[in-house]
Amino acid sequence: MLDIKLLRENLDLVKERIAARGTKIDWEEFVGVDRERREGLAKLERLKERKNQLSGEIGELKKTSRDATPLMQEVEELTQAIHESERPLAEIEKRFQKLMLWIPNLPHASVPLGSGPEGNREVRRWGDFPQFDFSPKNHWQIGEELGILDFIRAAKIATSRFAIYYGQGALLERALINFMLDLHTRERGYRETLPPYLVSRETMTGTGQLPKFEEDLFRIAEPELFLVPTAEVPLTNIHREEVLGREDLPLCYVAHTPCFRREAGSYGQDVRGLIRLHQFNKVELVKLTQPGNSYEELEKMVADAEEVLKRLKLPYRVVELCAGDLGFASAKTYDLEVWLPAQGTYREISSCSNCEDFQARRAQIRYRQEKKGKPVFVHTLNGSGLAVGRTVVAVLENYQQKDGSVVVPEVLRPYMGGIERIS
């Protein structure tokens, strides 16, 4: 959520930055509702102030046994007027909050302009492409031929866009999860966390998934809870409605969770394999930081995610997203894209974002610079370190052999009982 003071005092700047995203907002409606809300609040405050004044005068009259009937009558009229003012103001407040919740974050000034992926800017590349003396196969071909991936029976159990892992395939996924968690906790300073997989509407609203992305979420009706689309949601909300101390920051969390997404409107894209599933595993990184060093912490987070790919020796590139490709809550995002030989292209495997105080305002996460200082909002950062299923894809495709087997990256072998090859 944006600062209402910024919207009122710098609306032209806000309009410009939101337009760079390609997002259309009815600013005339917003300005009108905001004006109506402020006028209603001012009127209500005047009525309450007058009522309090009269209540004091009535008390003084009663102390001296003087007649307070006229003033008491006016208090009754004011009480009725207050009730009559509160009802429409409550409706205006709902409209105002709804409008505020649909306004996306402002892109950082350094974010390149562009309307979509074609406007993204490559920052750097790492690693050499594998060289094959045969035509490389897609990961689903490799997985099905090795008997470690099963999409047909998964669809029978659930529906399309689910997968069953067998044997060494399941072991590979588990090994990647444990490797990532160990790396981030033992070497990169994150605190491992196991959060709930079901969260409330307030929690989803705090990170910006609601109301905008409701159609992409899996929901339980009674009690109303949502399956997490990413561990970013519960991790960021750990400190919702709290005031932290400066000494608490930065808070760095890492968690492995399954993630659940309907992917509404994306059918026809990546319909085969592990790239776009309704259920997938992810190791998520989340930081709560002071505003002054949040962009330094973002660069560190990107480096943390890169280290996973470096140790797996998977070629990748880092891409800075343009304004039109940013996520709803993000002010600046870097994507890590891994090389997939069968497709002959890079595909996104991790996304690291600085949301500045956008989520913190929605979730009311603040901190004090000094013990008696005024609380200010933290900055929140999130990133996957990495999407595990997509990492499986990258391993299968980059380490495939002519005989149909797959070499296990050396760093994963201790996590797989010393297995050197999946065959």
mmCIF file with all atom_site columns, all heavy atoms in Angstrom, residues 304-323:
data_model
loop_
_atom_site.group_PDB
_atom_site.id
_atom_site.type_symbol
_atom_site.label_atom_id
_atom_site.label_alt_id
_atom_site.label_comp_id
_atom_site.label_asym_id
_atom_site.label_entity_id
_atom_site.label_seq_id
_atom_site.pdbx_PDB_ins_code
_atom_site.Cartn_x
_atom_site.Cartn_y
_atom_site.Cartn_z
_atom_site.occupancy
_atom_site.B_iso_or_equiv
_atom_site.pdbx_formal_charge
_atom_site.auth_seq_id
_atom_site.auth_comp_id
_atom_site.auth_asym_id
_atom_site.auth_atom_id
_atom_site.pdbx_PDB_model_num
ATOM 1   N N   . ASP A 1 304 ? 22.879 -14.668 -2.880  1.00 0.00 ? 304 ASP A N   1
ATOM 2   C CA  . ASP A 1 304 ? 22.552 -15.912 -2.175  1.00 0.00 ? 304 ASP A CA  1
ATOM 3   C C   . ASP A 1 304 ? 21.882 -16.904 -3.117  1.00 0.00 ? 304 ASP A C   1
ATOM 4   O O   . ASP A 1 304 ? 22.195 -18.104 -3.100  1.00 0.00 ? 304 ASP A O   1
ATOM 5   C CB  . ASP A 1 304 ? 21.620 -15.614 -0.992  1.00 0.00 ? 304 ASP A CB  1
ATOM 6   C CG  . ASP A 1 304 ? 22.284 -14.770 0.082   1.00 0.00 ? 304 ASP A CG  1
ATOM 7   O OD1 . ASP A 1 304 ? 23.530 -14.790 0.168   1.00 0.00 ? 304 ASP A OD1 1
ATOM 8   O OD2 . ASP A 1 304 ? 21.562 -14.079 0.826   1.00 0.00 ? 304 ASP A OD2 1
ATOM 9   N N   . ALA A 1 305 ? 20.952 -16.424 -3.915  1.00 0.00 ? 305 ALA A N   1
ATOM 10  C CA  . ALA A 1 305 ? 20.271 -17.300 -4.870  1.00 0.00 ? 305 ALA A CA  1
ATOM 11  C C   . ALA A 1 305 ? 21.236 -17.771 -5.956  1.00 0.00 ? 305 ALA A C   1
ATOM 12  O O   . ALA A 1 305 ? 21.203 -18.936 -6.377  1.00 0.00 ? 305 ALA A O   1
ATOM 13  C CB  . ALA A 1 305 ? 19.074 -16.578 -5.485  1.00 0.00 ? 305 ALA A CB  1
ATOM 14  N N   . GLU A 1 306 ? 22.108 -16.872 -6.420  1.00 0.00 ? 306 GLU A N   1
ATOM 15  C CA  . GLU A 1 306 ? 23.085 -17.247 -7.437  1.00 0.00 ? 306 GLU A CA  1
ATOM 16  C C   . GLU A 1 306 ? 24.014 -18.349 -6.947  1.00 0.00 ? 306 GLU A C   1
ATOM 17  O O   . GLU A 1 306 ? 24.427 -19.221 -7.731  1.00 0.00 ? 306 GLU A O   1
ATOM 18  C CB  . GLU A 1 306 ? 23.919 -16.026 -7.839  1.00 0.00 ? 306 GLU A CB  1
ATOM 19  C CG  . GLU A 1 306 ? 23.211 -15.006 -8.708  1.00 0.00 ? 306 GLU A CG  1
ATOM 20  C CD  . GLU A 1 306 ? 24.154 -13.904 -9.144  1.00 0.00 ? 306 GLU A CD  1
ATOM 21  O OE1 . GLU A 1 306 ? 24.947 -14.154 -10.063 1.00 0.00 ? 306 GLU A OE1 1
ATOM 22  O OE2 . GLU A 1 306 ? 24.093 -12.812 -8.546  1.00 0.00 ? 306 GLU A OE2 1
ATOM 23  N N   . GLU A 1 307 ? 24.357 -18.309 -5.667  1.00 0.00 ? 307 GLU A N   1
ATOM 24  C CA  . GLU A 1 307 ? 25.300 -19.287 -5.136  1.00 0.00 ? 307 GLU A CA  1
ATOM 25  C C   . GLU A 1 307 ? 24.779 -20.710 -5.279  1.00 0.00 ? 307 GLU A C   1
ATOM 26  O O   . GLU A 1 307 ? 25.553 -21.653 -5.483  1.00 0.00 ? 307 GLU A O   1
ATOM 27  C CB  . GLU A 1 307 ? 25.597 -18.973 -3.658  1.00 0.00 ? 307 GLU A CB  1
ATOM 28  C CG  . GLU A 1 307 ? 26.699 -19.809 -3.047  1.00 0.00 ? 307 GLU A CG  1
ATOM 29  C CD  . GLU A 1 307 ? 28.057 -19.596 -3.707  1.00 0.00 ? 307 GLU A CD  1
ATOM 30  O OE1 . GLU A 1 307 ? 28.262 -18.537 -4.323  1.00 0.00 ? 307 GLU A OE1 1
ATOM 31  O OE2 . GLU A 1 307 ? 28.915 -20.494 -3.589  1.00 0.00 ? 307 GLU A OE2 1
ATOM 32  N N   . VAL A 1 308 ? 23.469 -20.888 -5.184  1.00 0.00 ? 308 VAL A N   1
ATOM 33  C CA  . VAL A 1 308 ? 22.883 -22.220 -5.381  1.00 0.00 ? 308 VAL A CA  1
ATOM 34  C C   . VAL A 1 308 ? 23.209 -22.727 -6.778  1.00 0.00 ? 308 VAL A C   1
ATOM 35  O O   . VAL A 1 308 ? 23.666 -23.861 -6.966  1.00 0.00 ? 308 VAL A O   1
ATOM 36  C CB  . VAL A 1 308 ? 21.352 -22.177 -5.165  1.00 0.00 ? 308 VAL A CB  1
ATOM 37  C CG1 . VAL A 1 308 ? 20.731 -23.534 -5.477  1.00 0.00 ? 308 VAL A CG1 1
ATOM 38  C CG2 . VAL A 1 308 ? 21.018 -21.761 -3.736  1.00 0.00 ? 308 VAL A CG2 1
ATOM 39  N N   . LEU A 1 309 ? 22.978 -21.894 -7.786  1.00 0.00 ? 309 LEU A N   1
ATOM 40  C CA  . LEU A 1 309 ? 23.221 -22.301 -9.171  1.00 0.00 ? 309 LEU A CA  1
ATOM 41  C C   . LEU A 1 309 ? 24.704 -22.491 -9.450  1.00 0.00 ? 309 LEU A C   1
ATOM 42  O O   . LEU A 1 309 ? 25.092 -23.394 -10.207 1.00 0.00 ? 309 LEU A O   1
ATOM 43  C CB  . LEU A 1 309 ? 22.625 -21.264 -10.119 1.00 0.00 ? 309 LEU A CB  1
ATOM 44  C CG  . LEU A 1 309 ? 21.097 -21.157 -10.108 1.00 0.00 ? 309 LEU A CG  1
ATOM 45  C CD1 . LEU A 1 309 ? 20.636 -19.990 -10.957 1.00 0.00 ? 309 LEU A CD1 1
ATOM 46  C CD2 . LEU A 1 309 ? 20.459 -22.452 -10.581 1.00 0.00 ? 309 LEU A CD2 1
ATOM 47  N N   . LYS A 1 310 ? 25.533 -21.655 -8.842  1.00 0.00 ? 310 LYS A N   1
ATOM 48  C CA  . LYS A 1 310 ? 26.974 -21.808 -9.039  1.00 0.00 ? 310 LYS A CA  1
ATOM 49  C C   . LYS A 1 310 ? 27.462 -23.142 -8.511  1.00 0.00 ? 310 LYS A C   1
ATOM 50  O O   . LYS A 1 310 ? 28.262 -23.837 -9.152  1.00 0.00 ? 310 LYS A O   1
ATOM 51  C CB  . LYS A 1 310 ? 27.722 -20.656 -8.361  1.00 0.00 ? 310 LYS A CB  1
ATOM 52  C CG  . LYS A 1 310 ? 27.597 -19.323 -9.082  1.00 0.00 ? 310 LYS A CG  1
ATOM 53  C CD  . LYS A 1 310 ? 28.337 -18.217 -8.334  1.00 0.00 ? 310 LYS A CD  1
ATOM 54  C CE  . LYS A 1 310 ? 28.224 -16.883 -9.083  1.00 0.00 ? 310 LYS A CE  1
ATOM 55  N NZ  . LYS A 1 310 ? 28.905 -15.782 -8.353  1.00 0.00 ? 310 LYS A NZ  1
ATOM 56  N N   . ARG A 1 311 ? 26.993 -23.528 -7.330  1.00 0.00 ? 311 ARG A N   1
ATOM 57  C CA  . ARG A 1 311 ? 27.464 -24.786 -6.747  1.00 0.00 ? 311 ARG A CA  1
ATOM 58  C C   . ARG A 1 311 ? 26.906 -26.002 -7.485  1.00 0.00 ? 311 ARG A C   1
ATOM 59  O O   . ARG A 1 311 ? 27.509 -27.068 -7.482  1.00 0.00 ? 311 ARG A O   1
ATOM 60  C CB  . ARG A 1 311 ? 27.118 -24.836 -5.265  1.00 0.00 ? 311 ARG A CB  1
ATOM 61  C CG  . ARG A 1 311 ? 27.821 -23.752 -4.479  1.00 0.00 ? 311 ARG A CG  1
ATOM 62  C CD  . ARG A 1 311 ? 27.903 -24.032 -3.019  1.00 0.00 ? 311 ARG A CD  1
ATOM 63  N NE  . ARG A 1 311 ? 28.444 -22.867 -2.311  1.00 0.00 ? 311 ARG A NE  1
ATOM 64  C CZ  . ARG A 1 311 ? 28.729 -22.846 -1.019  1.00 0.00 ? 311 ARG A CZ  1
ATOM 65  N NH1 . ARG A 1 311 ? 28.510 -23.938 -0.278  1.00 0.00 ? 311 ARG A NH1 1
ATOM 66  N NH2 . ARG A 1 311 ? 29.205 -21.752 -0.441  1.00 0.00 ? 311 ARG A NH2 1
ATOM 67  N N   . LEU A 1 312 ? 25.748 -25.822 -8.095  1.00 0.00 ? 312 LEU A N   1
ATOM 68  C CA  . LEU A 1 312 ? 25.200 -26.889 -8.937  1.00 0.00 ? 312 LEU A CA  1
ATOM 69  C C   . LEU A 1 312 ? 25.820 -26.872 -10.335 1.00 0.00 ? 312 LEU A C   1
ATOM 70  O O   . LEU A 1 312 ? 25.571 -27.777 -11.136 1.00 0.00 ? 312 LEU A O   1
ATOM 71  C CB  . LEU A 1 312 ? 23.676 -26.738 -9.055  1.00 0.00 ? 312 LEU A CB  1
ATOM 72  C CG  . LEU A 1 312 ? 22.867 -27.005 -7.787  1.00 0.00 ? 312 LEU A CG  1
ATOM 73  C CD1 . LEU A 1 312 ? 21.420 -26.563 -7.982  1.00 0.00 ? 312 LEU A CD1 1
ATOM 74  C CD2 . LEU A 1 312 ? 22.931 -28.473 -7.387  1.00 0.00 ? 312 LEU A CD2 1
ATOM 75  N N   . LYS A 1 313 ? 26.603 -25.836 -10.611 1.00 0.00 ? 313 LYS A N   1
ATOM 76  C CA  . LYS A 1 313 ? 27.266 -25.656 -11.912 1.00 0.00 ? 313 LYS A CA  1
ATOM 77  C C   . LYS A 1 313 ? 26.255 -25.645 -13.056 1.00 0.00 ? 313 LYS A C   1
ATOM 78  O O   . LYS A 1 313 ? 26.442 -26.289 -14.089 1.00 0.00 ? 313 LYS A O   1
ATOM 79  C CB  . LYS A 1 313 ? 28.328 -26.739 -12.116 1.00 0.00 ? 313 LYS A CB  1
ATOM 80  C CG  . LYS A 1 313 ? 29.448 -26.664 -11.080 1.00 0.00 ? 313 LYS A CG  1
ATOM 81  C CD  . LYS A 1 313 ? 30.526 -27.723 -11.313 1.00 0.00 ? 313 LYS A CD  1
ATOM 82  C CE  . LYS A 1 313 ? 31.626 -27.579 -10.260 1.00 0.00 ? 313 LYS A CE  1
ATOM 83  N NZ  . LYS A 1 313 ? 32.688 -28.609 -10.417 1.00 0.00 ? 313 LYS A NZ  1
ATOM 84  N N   . LEU A 1 314 ? 25.193 -24.851 -12.842 1.00 0.00 ? 314 LEU A N   1
ATOM 85  C CA  . LEU A 1 314 ? 24.161 -24.669 -13.856 1.00 0.00 ? 314 LEU A CA  1
ATOM 86  C C   . LEU A 1 314 ? 24.313 -23.277 -14.462 1.00 0.00 ? 314 LEU A C   1
ATOM 87  O O   . LEU A 1 314 ? 24.302 -22.275 -13.732 1.00 0.00 ? 314 LEU A O   1
ATOM 88  C CB  . LEU A 1 314 ? 22.763 -24.816 -13.240 1.00 0.00 ? 314 LEU A CB  1
ATOM 89  C CG  . LEU A 1 314 ? 22.400 -26.211 -12.726 1.00 0.00 ? 314 LEU A CG  1
ATOM 90  C CD1 . LEU A 1 314 ? 21.088 -26.160 -11.938 1.00 0.00 ? 314 LEU A CD1 1
ATOM 91  C CD2 . LEU A 1 314 ? 22.286 -27.200 -13.878 1.00 0.00 ? 314 LEU A CD2 1
ATOM 92  N N   . PRO A 1 315 ? 24.459 -23.162 -15.771 1.00 0.00 ? 315 PRO A N   1
ATOM 93  C CA  . PRO A 1 315 ? 24.598 -21.841 -16.397 1.00 0.00 ? 315 PRO A CA  1
ATOM 94  C C   . PRO A 1 315 ? 23.317 -21.025 -16.232 1.00 0.00 ? 315 PRO A C   1
ATOM 95  O O   . PRO A 1 315 ? 22.207 -21.542 -16.366 1.00 0.00 ? 315 PRO A O   1
ATOM 96  C CB  . PRO A 1 315 ? 24.876 -22.163 -17.862 1.00 0.00 ? 315 PRO A CB  1
ATOM 97  C CG  . PRO A 1 315 ? 24.400 -23.557 -18.066 1.00 0.00 ? 315 PRO A CG  1
ATOM 98  C CD  . PRO A 1 315 ? 24.532 -24.264 -16.753 1.00 0.00 ? 315 PRO A CD  1
ATOM 99  N N   . TYR A 1 316 ? 23.495 -19.738 -15.957 1.00 0.00 ? 316 TYR A N   1
ATOM 100 C CA  . TYR A 1 316 ? 22.335 -18.877 -15.716 1.00 0.00 ? 316 TYR A CA  1
ATOM 101 C C   . TYR A 1 316 ? 22.680 -17.447 -16.091 1.00 0.00 ? 316 TYR A C   1
ATOM 102 O O   . TYR A 1 316 ? 23.836 -17.092 -16.352 1.00 0.00 ? 316 TYR A O   1
ATOM 103 C CB  . TYR A 1 316 ? 21.914 -18.946 -14.243 1.00 0.00 ? 316 TYR A CB  1
ATOM 104 C CG  . TYR A 1 316 ? 22.893 -18.303 -13.294 1.00 0.00 ? 316 TYR A CG  1
ATOM 105 C CD1 . TYR A 1 316 ? 22.811 -16.944 -12.975 1.00 0.00 ? 316 TYR A CD1 1
ATOM 106 C CD2 . TYR A 1 316 ? 23.940 -19.039 -12.728 1.00 0.00 ? 316 TYR A CD2 1
ATOM 107 C CE1 . TYR A 1 316 ? 23.723 -16.347 -12.116 1.00 0.00 ? 316 TYR A CE1 1
ATOM 108 C CE2 . TYR A 1 316 ? 24.858 -18.455 -11.875 1.00 0.00 ? 316 TYR A CE2 1
ATOM 109 C CZ  . TYR A 1 316 ? 24.746 -17.106 -11.567 1.00 0.00 ? 316 TYR A CZ  1
ATOM 110 O OH  . TYR A 1 316 ? 25.655 -16.510 -10.723 1.00 0.00 ? 316 TYR A OH  1
ATOM 111 N N   . ARG A 1 317 ? 21.651 -16.613 -16.084 1.00 0.00 ? 317 ARG A N   1
ATOM 112 C CA  . ARG A 1 317 ? 21.849 -15.177 -16.229 1.00 0.00 ? 317 ARG A CA  1
ATOM 113 C C   . ARG A 1 317 ? 20.956 -14.445 -15.233 1.00 0.00 ? 317 ARG A C   1
ATOM 114 O O   . ARG A 1 317 ? 19.923 -14.979 -14.785 1.00 0.00 ? 317 ARG A O   1
ATOM 115 C CB  . ARG A 1 317 ? 21.556 -14.713 -17.652 1.00 0.00 ? 317 ARG A CB  1
ATOM 116 C CG  . ARG A 1 317 ? 20.094 -14.800 -18.064 1.00 0.00 ? 317 ARG A CG  1
ATOM 117 C CD  . ARG A 1 317 ? 19.902 -14.245 -19.477 1.00 0.00 ? 317 ARG A CD  1
ATOM 118 N NE  . ARG A 1 317 ? 18.489 -14.254 -19.867 1.00 0.00 ? 317 ARG A NE  1
ATOM 119 C CZ  . ARG A 1 317 ? 18.039 -13.735 -21.005 1.00 0.00 ? 317 ARG A CZ  1
ATOM 120 N NH1 . ARG A 1 317 ? 18.881 -13.173 -21.862 1.00 0.00 ? 317 ARG A NH1 1
ATOM 121 N NH2 . ARG A 1 317 ? 16.744 -13.765 -21.293 1.00 0.00 ? 317 ARG A NH2 1
ATOM 122 N N   . VAL A 1 318 ? 21.349 -13.214 -14.884 1.00 0.00 ? 318 VAL A N   1
ATOM 123 C CA  . VAL A 1 318 ? 20.565 -12.340 -14.008 1.00 0.00 ? 318 VAL A CA  1
ATOM 124 C C   . VAL A 1 318 ? 19.943 -11.255 -14.868 1.00 0.00 ? 318 VAL A C   1
ATOM 125 O O   . VAL A 1 318 ? 20.629 -10.617 -15.680 1.00 0.00 ? 318 VAL A O   1
ATOM 126 C CB  . VAL A 1 318 ? 21.440 -11.709 -12.916 1.00 0.00 ? 318 VAL A CB  1
ATOM 127 C CG1 . VAL A 1 318 ? 20.613 -10.773 -12.031 1.00 0.00 ? 318 VAL A CG1 1
ATOM 128 C CG2 . VAL A 1 318 ? 22.100 -12.787 -12.068 1.00 0.00 ? 318 VAL A CG2 1
ATOM 129 N N   . VAL A 1 319 ? 18.634 -11.047 -14.694 1.00 0.00 ? 319 VAL A N   1
ATOM 130 C CA  . VAL A 1 319 ? 17.885 -10.084 -15.498 1.00 0.00 ? 319 VAL A CA  1
ATOM 131 C C   . VAL A 1 319 ? 17.180 -9.097  -14.570 1.00 0.00 ? 319 VAL A C   1
ATOM 132 O O   . VAL A 1 319 ? 16.552 -9.506  -13.588 1.00 0.00 ? 319 VAL A O   1
ATOM 133 C CB  . VAL A 1 319 ? 16.848 -10.810 -16.387 1.00 0.00 ? 319 VAL A CB  1
ATOM 134 C CG1 . VAL A 1 319 ? 15.972 -9.805  -17.119 1.00 0.00 ? 319 VAL A CG1 1
ATOM 135 C CG2 . VAL A 1 319 ? 17.544 -11.735 -17.380 1.00 0.00 ? 319 VAL A CG2 1
ATOM 136 N N   . GLU A 1 320 ? 17.301 -7.819  -14.877 1.00 0.00 ? 320 GLU A N   1
ATOM 137 C CA  . GLU A 1 320 ? 16.562 -6.791  -14.139 1.00 0.00 ? 320 GLU A CA  1
ATOM 138 C C   . GLU A 1 320 ? 15.244 -6.539  -14.855 1.00 0.00 ? 320 GLU A C   1
ATOM 139 O O   . GLU A 1 320 ? 15.240 -6.223  -16.043 1.00 0.00 ? 320 GLU A O   1
ATOM 140 C CB  . GLU A 1 320 ? 17.384 -5.506  -14.066 1.00 0.00 ? 320 GLU A CB  1
ATOM 141 C CG  . GLU A 1 320 ? 16.704 -4.408  -13.262 1.00 0.00 ? 320 GLU A CG  1
ATOM 142 C CD  . GLU A 1 320 ? 17.533 -3.123  -13.228 1.00 0.00 ? 320 GLU A CD  1
ATOM 143 O OE1 . GLU A 1 320 ? 18.592 -3.078  -13.891 1.00 0.00 ? 320 GLU A OE1 1
ATOM 144 O OE2 . GLU A 1 320 ? 17.097 -2.171  -12.562 1.00 0.00 ? 320 GLU A OE2 1
ATOM 145 N N   . LEU A 1 321 ? 14.133 -6.700  -14.137 1.00 0.00 ? 321 LEU A N   1
ATOM 146 C CA  . LEU A 1 321 ? 12.821 -6.554  -14.764 1.00 0.00 ? 321 LEU A CA  1
ATOM 147 C C   . LEU A 1 321 ? 12.499 -5.087  -15.020 1.00 0.00 ? 321 LEU A C   1
ATOM 148 O O   . LEU A 1 321 ? 12.788 -4.211  -14.203 1.00 0.00 ? 321 LEU A O   1
ATOM 149 C CB  . LEU A 1 321 ? 11.730 -7.173  -13.887 1.00 0.00 ? 321 LEU A CB  1
ATOM 150 C CG  . LEU A 1 321 ? 11.831 -8.664  -13.586 1.00 0.00 ? 321 LEU A CG  1
ATOM 151 C CD1 . LEU A 1 321 ? 10.513 -9.161  -13.000 1.00 0.00 ? 321 LEU A CD1 1
ATOM 152 C CD2 . LEU A 1 321 ? 12.216 -9.472  -14.810 1.00 0.00 ? 321 LEU A CD2 1
ATOM 153 N N   . CYS A 1 322 ? 11.855 -4.847  -16.155 1.00 0.00 ? 322 CYS A N   1
ATOM 154 C CA  . CYS A 1 322 ? 11.398 -3.498  -16.476 1.00 0.00 ? 322 CYS A CA  1
ATOM 155 C C   . CYS A 1 322 ? 10.101 -3.200  -15.725 1.00 0.00 ? 322 CYS A C   1
ATOM 156 O O   . CYS A 1 322 ? 9.484  -4.097  -15.131 1.00 0.00 ? 322 CYS A O   1
ATOM 157 C CB  . CYS A 1 322 ? 11.197 -3.347  -17.983 1.00 0.00 ? 322 CYS A CB  1
ATOM 158 S SG  . CYS A 1 322 ? 9.806  -4.294  -18.650 1.00 0.00 ? 322 CYS A SG  1
ATOM 159 N N   . ALA A 1 323 ? 9.675  -1.956  -15.770 1.00 0.00 ? 323 ALA A N   1
ATOM 160 C CA  . ALA A 1 323 ? 8.498  -1.527  -15.007 1.00 0.00 ? 323 ALA A CA  1
ATOM 161 C C   . ALA A 1 323 ? 7.250  -2.321  -15.377 1.00 0.00 ? 323 ALA A C   1
ATOM 162 O O   . ALA A 1 323 ? 6.455  -2.691  -14.508 1.00 0.00 ? 323 ALA A O   1
ATOM 163 C CB  . ALA A 1 323 ? 8.259  -0.034  -15.224 1.00 0.00 ? 323 ALA A CB  1
#
